[in-house]
Amino acid sequence: MKKSQAAGLILWRAGILLAGGYLLFFALRVILRIADPTLEVGVTLVLAGGLFVLASVVREQIEDARIARSYDE
């Protein structure tokens, strides 16, 4: 993959994550209706952290499966 393609892919994914996070944050503000903005940010960060942990576990499982498959061949 060319460097320009990799950069474009990274920027594309970052844009999707940023827009999705922004929409999720405001959706949580409407759903939770918490009066304290600090608490709203805290809840959002906890959920975002949980999402990142889940994504890293899934990625690790995929990499382990690829390594195991390459050893079997």
Side-chain angles (χ1 to χ4, degrees):
M1 181 180 294
K2 294 180 183 178
K3 289 182 181 181
S4 61
Q5 290 174 335
L9 189 60
I10 290 170
L11 289 173
W12 176 71
R13 287 182 179 173
I16 287 176
L17 288 173
L18 182 64
Y22 185 77
L23 290 173
L24 182 63
F25 175 74
F26 281 105
L28 283 172
R29 288 188 74 186
V30 170
I31 292 169
L32 297 176
R33 298 206 187 265
I34 299 172
D36 186 14
T38 306
L39 189 56
E40 290 176 356
V41 172
V43 168
T44 303
L45 290 175
V46 166
L47 292 174
L51 182 64
F52 282 124
V53 168
L54 178 66
S56 69
V57 168
V58 168
R59 191 171 116 206
E60 184 178 330
Q61 291 294 322
I62 290 170
E63 289 174 1
D64 289 344
R66 286 182 183 160
I67 292 171
R69 185 176 50 186
S70 68
Y71 284 135
D72 290 340
E73 293 176 354

